[in-house]
């Protein structure tokens, strides 16, 4: 006598041709890595420029990965660098890409480990993992497309939209009058919050700009500030106390990204939440931040930490320790990840990357809407192709 369960198993084996999962698995046949440079219309300056550590930002390096499987599934992912490093990330990604050929694209964790070991001599953080990011993100994109789902739904979305705040209109190079105009434009477009850059060498200049923006927004509209790591501990504490009256959602990167103790002291002393983490480039670095109670709001960046695979581990750790989540940059990726976070997150809005993709994300009532498109829901634009300066393909494309 055959049980119902065994009968189901027999029917499945017949439908699939029998054999093991490995024998019936799809395989990666083609990988393409490209490097493009996205020009910015206006040179951008934050506190790191005003303090002399960096030059104004004029372009963003974008590293794309495109993957195709034997069964005809495709995935696309990207990483980036806002200053030096883009060519290095591309070179390492191109160097390790052929390790994917013949692998089952569904075995993302296995592939991730294989790529880490392929470049083990250059470490497991920084540029080494940023080179894995576009590949890992492309594999997750493919997995969701295979399932016929938006990536957020594949991951288990907690919500259909995410609160969204704008950063690009409040940089320090922007005159205050224009900042105020940008604030008005952002609100009219459906933005749910505004982030203002601070960290000017003249602290009073920061307070004047902050006062003007808060006056424009009113007392209750969500407002954040970002010092881009340019305060020392004493200045951060003093400025943090002066900013308590502005009803801020958070103070971002008041100190050096690796100053866990300093951030923890601020988080303990101030009523305003402390946010940081965007510059960290590994799960281990985020563990130090979270376990050290160094922030109220964690800000991981999937392209910087090595892709979606480590980002999900960071997200799980943050949730277990009661942290808020506000991923940095790359809203095209982070919208899907933030949608799966247990507590209400924030998403950072930058329109800079819009020319890279044929599709655009939708803002409505202060929130970014998860698109119905499968995977990440993005297609590389012809403009991005024209900006490409280097390309390496391996395997064969049907």
């Amino acid at each position: 006598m055959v049980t119902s369960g065994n009968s189901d198993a027999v029917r499945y084996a017949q439908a699939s041709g029998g054999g093991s999962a490995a024998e019936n698995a799809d395989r990666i046949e083609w990988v393409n890595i490209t490097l493009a440079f996205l020009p910015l219309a206006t040179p951008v300056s934050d506190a790191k420029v005003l303090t002399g550590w960096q030059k104004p930002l004029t372009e963003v390096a974008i590293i794309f990965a495109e993957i195709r499987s034997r069964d005809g599934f495709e995935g696309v992912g990207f990483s980036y660098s806002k200053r030096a490093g883009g060519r290095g990330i591309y070179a390492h990604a191109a160097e390790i890409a052929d390790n994917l050929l013949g692998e089952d694209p569904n075995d993302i964790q296995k592939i991730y480990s294989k790529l880490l070991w392929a470049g083990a001599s250059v470490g497991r953080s920084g540029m080494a993992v940023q080179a894995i990011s576009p590949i890992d993100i492309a594999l997750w994109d493919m997995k969701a497309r295979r399932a016929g789902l938006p990536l957020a739904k594949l991951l288990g979305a907690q919500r259909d939209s995410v609160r969204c705040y704008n950063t690009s209109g409040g940089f320090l190079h922007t005159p205050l009058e224009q900042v105020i105009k940008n604030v008005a434009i952002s609100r009219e477009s459906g933005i749910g919050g505004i982030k203002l850059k601070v960290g000017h060498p003249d602290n009073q200049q920061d307070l004047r700009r902050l006062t003007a923006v808060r006056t424009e927004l009113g007392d209750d509209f969500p407002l954040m500030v970002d010092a881009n790591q340019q305060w020392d501990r004493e200045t951060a504490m003093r400025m943090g106390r002066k900013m308590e009256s502005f009803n801020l959602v958070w103070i971002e990167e008041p100190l050096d990204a690796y100053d866990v103790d300093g951030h923890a002291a601020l988080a303990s002393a101030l009523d305003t939440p402390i946010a940081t983490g965007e510059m960290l480039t590994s799960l281990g670095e985020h563990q130090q931040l979270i376990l050290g109670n160094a922030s109220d709001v964690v800000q991981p960046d999937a392209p910087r930490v090595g892709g979606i695979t480590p980002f999900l581990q960071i997200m799980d750790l943050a949730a277990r320790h009661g942290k808020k989540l506000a991923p940095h940059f790359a809203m095209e990726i982070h919208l899907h990840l933030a949608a799966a976070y247990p507590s209400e997150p924030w998403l950072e809005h930058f329109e800079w990357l819009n020319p890279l993709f044929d599709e655009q994300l939708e803002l409505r009532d202060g929130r970014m809407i998860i698109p119905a498109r499968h995977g990440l829901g993005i297609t590389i634009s012809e403009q991005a192709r024209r900006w490409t300066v280097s390309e390496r393909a391996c395997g064969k494309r049907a």
Side-chain angles (χ1 to χ4, degrees), residues 352-394:
W352 293 358
L353 304 187
N354 286 353
L356 299 176
F357 308 109
D358 291 331
E359 306 82 3
Q360 302 302 316
L361 295 172
E362 179 186 357
L363 275 172
R364 191 189 308 155
D365 299 326
R367 305 179 71 87
M368 189 73 77
I369 309 301
I370 298 169
R373 299 183 296 272
H374 298 166
L376 291 171
I378 56 176
T379 307
I380 301 174
S381 69
E382 287 305 312
Q383 178 62 75
R385 304 285 185 193
R386 288 192 290 271
W387 283 330
T388 296
V389 297
S390 297
E391 183 171 7
R392 191 217 171 189
C394 53

Side-chain angles (χ1 to χ4, degrees), residues 114-190:
K114 185 177 184 179
L115 295 178
L116 270 179
W117 282 106
S121 65
V122 292
R124 300 184 188 183
S125 64
M127 193 178 293
V129 298
Q130 290 175 51
I132 297 174
S133 292
I135 296 168
D136 181 79
I137 292 165
L139 290 172
W140 279 100
D141 179 51
M142 181 190 289
K143 193 164 195 171
R145 292 191 195 195
R146 183 190 297 269
L149 294 169
L151 179 59
K153 295 292 187 181
L154 180 74
L155 297 176
Q158 302 271 3
R159 54 196 63 84
D160 295 324
S161 63
V162 179
R163 293 181 300 183
C164 190
Y165 71 93
N166 178 263
T167 294
S168 56
F171 275 88
L172 289 178
H173 72 272
T174 309
L176 181 55
E177 289 183 5
Q178 186 60 50
V179 170
I180 299 301
K181 292 178 182 178
N182 292 344
V183 165
I185 293 170
S186 291
R187 292 187 72 174
E188 290 171 5
S189 72

Side-chain angles (χ1 to χ4, degrees), residues 158-359:
Q158 302 271 3
R159 54 196 63 84
D160 295 324
S161 63
V162 179
R163 293 181 300 183
C164 190
Y165 71 93
N166 178 263
T167 294
S168 56
F171 275 88
L172 289 178
H173 72 272
T174 309
L176 181 55
E177 289 183 5
Q178 186 60 50
V179 170
I180 299 301
K181 292 178 182 178
N182 292 344
V183 165
I185 293 170
S186 291
R187 292 187 72 174
E188 290 171 5
S189 72
I191 284 290
I194 296 292
K195 188 167 77 179
L196 180 68
K197 294 291 186 175
V198 293
H200 195 284
D202 178 1
N203 298 150
Q204 294 306 308
Q205 179 81 333
D206 282 337
L207 294 173
R208 284 192 292 270
R209 287 166 67 90
L210 180 55
T211 299
V213 171
R214 173 48 85 197
T215 300
E216 173 68 20
L217 290 173
D219 293 338
D220 297 324
F221 192 85
L223 175 62
M224 307 84 163
V225 298
D226 182 0
N228 288 111
Q229 308 179 72
Q230 295 309 293
W231 289 333
D232 57 28
R233 291 186 181 185
E234 180 181 303
T235 302
M237 187 68 75
R238 183 170 58 250
M239 291 296 288
R241 286 175 175 151
K242 289 181 179 180
M243 290 179 176
E244 295 277 36
S245 62
F246 288 91
N247 188 29
L248 300 176
V249 179
W250 67 65
I251 298 172
E252 183 173 332
E253 284 197 318
L255 301 170
D256 184 276
Y258 295 97
D259 187 357
V260 173
D261 291 343
H263 278 105
L266 288 173
S268 177
L270 299 176
D271 291 334
T272 304
I274 298 299
T276 191
E278 69 178 65
M279 298 303 298
L280 304 184
T281 60
S282 70
L283 169 62
E285 291 170 0
H286 277 279
Q287 284 177 325
Q288 294 179 31
L289 183 77
I290 294 167
L291 299 180
N293 289 316
S295 68
D296 305 289
V297 184
V298 295
Q299 298 182 299
D301 182 320
R304 282 182 175 167
V305 300
I308 291 172
T309 297
F311 189 100
L312 293 175
Q313 295 174 291
I314 294 165
M315 202 164 74
D316 179 66
L317 183 66
R320 286 190 281 114
H321 287 82
K323 305 298 183 183
K324 299 293 186 181
L325 179 75
H328 169 255
F329 202 60
M331 62 186 183
E332 295 80 5
I333 300 166
H334 292 136
L335 170 61
H336 295 271
L337 305 181
Y341 197 65
S343 61
E344 185 72 46
W346 279 98
L347 181 70
E348 184 170 29
H349 177 270
F350 266 94
E351 69 280 2
W352 293 358
L353 304 187
N354 286 353
L356 299 176
F357 308 109
D358 291 331
E359 306 82 3

Side-chain angles (χ1 to χ4, degrees), residues 39-78:
L40 299 180
T42 303
V44 173
S45 297
D46 59 23
K48 297 185 295 294
V49 174
L50 271 65
T51 53
W53 290 112
Q54 293 181 344
K55 296 178 181 178
L57 180 65
T58 59
E59 62 184 8
V60 180
I62 305 292
I63 302 87
F64 289 111
E66 298 168 273
I67 301 175
R68 185 176 175 86
S69 75
R70 180 198 64 203
D71 292 350
F73 292 98
E74 297 185 347
V76 61
F78 68 91

Side-chain angles (χ1 to χ4, degrees), residues 1-12:
M1 181 176 179
V2 179
T3 67
S4 174
N6 286 338
S7 179
D8 290 342
V10 170
R11 285 196 299 271
Y12 178 80

